[in-house]
Amino acid sequence: MTATQWILNGALLAWVLLRNLGARAVGPATYLVPLLVVNVAGLVFLRDVPTAGNDPALEAIGIGAGLLLGVLATGLTRVGADAGRTVIRAGAAFAALWIAVIGGRVLFAEWATHGGARAVGEFSVHHGITGADAWTAAFVLMALAMVVGRTVSTGVLVALRTHRARPAAAR
C-alpha cells in the first residue's frame, strides 16, 4: 500500500468515528454529507473500473459486502429522542466494526503486495480476475457501499422510530 492509501484509510476511519460516535442529532446533514462524500470519492477513485473477465463479479461482491456491512453498522446504533430531537447513538460495537472492516482491507492490501502476492495472483488467474486494479475497485466500491448502506438503513430506522413515536391520531 502506498502512503496515500494508508492516509485515505485512516482518514475514512477517523471521519466515520468522529462523525458517528456518541449521540448525534438527526438532520439533513446526517444523510447529505455521507452521500456527498461517496459521490466525490467515487468520482476521484473510480475513474477506470475494470470490466474484463470476472472483474464485475468481484466488484459486485465488494458492493454487496459493503451494503451488508453498512446495514450491520446501523444495527449497532440506537435511535432515540433527546430534548425533543431524534438522535442516533453509536458506541464501541459500532467503532469495532468499522475498525475491523477498514483494518481488514489494509491488512489484505499489505499482504497482497508483500508475502501474499503470489497467492492473490494465482487466485486471480484461476478466477478470471484481471489484476490489482480489479481488487482496488472492489475494495473502493465496498467502502462506498458501506457508507451508502449505513446512510440508507439509518434513514429507514429513523423513519420507523419516528412513525412509532407519533400518537395514532397524528398518523
Side-chain angles (χ1 to χ4, degrees):
M1 269 183 39
T2 66
T4 301
Q5 291 168 324
W6 272 97
I7 291 167
L8 288 171
N9 278 292
L12 174 62
L13 181 59
W15 177 73
V16 167
L17 296 180
L18 290 172
R19 202 171 144 64
N20 292 284
L21 288 180
R24 305 282 184 218
V26 175
T30 303
Y31 310 105
L32 297 177
V33 171
L35 296 178
L36 176 65
V37 168
V38 164
N39 279 313
V40 170
L43 290 170
V44 171
F45 297 109
L46 295 174
R47 293 184 182 171
D48 184 28
V49 177
T51 58
N54 286 326
D55 294 352
L58 178 65
E59 292 148 3
I61 290 168
I63 291 169
L67 290 172
L68 287 172
L69 289 164
V71 171
L72 177 59
T74 298
L76 297 173
T77 63
R78 297 293 167 252
V79 176
D82 186 19
R85 301 176 306 165
T86 300
V87 295
I88 301 169
R89 289 180 176 81
F94 178 89
L97 175 66
W98 282 90
I99 291 166
V101 169
I102 292 174
R105 280 199 310 262
V106 167
L107 287 172
F108 178 83
E110 283 297 314
W111 175 72
T113 56
H114 295 94
R118 182 176 176 179
V120 173
E122 290 173 0
F123 179 92
S124 296
V125 168
H126 183 72
H127 293 283
I129 298 166
T130 61
D133 288 344
W135 287 99
T136 299
F139 279 120
V140 169
L141 288 165
M142 179 182 143
L144 300 180
M146 188 171 176
V147 173
V148 170
R150 163 83 168 54
T151 302
V152 171
S153 59
T154 294
V156 170
L157 190 64
V158 167
L160 289 172
R161 196 260 179 226
T162 303
H163 177 73
R164 276 184 282 178
R166 280 189 276 160
R171 289 186 218 152

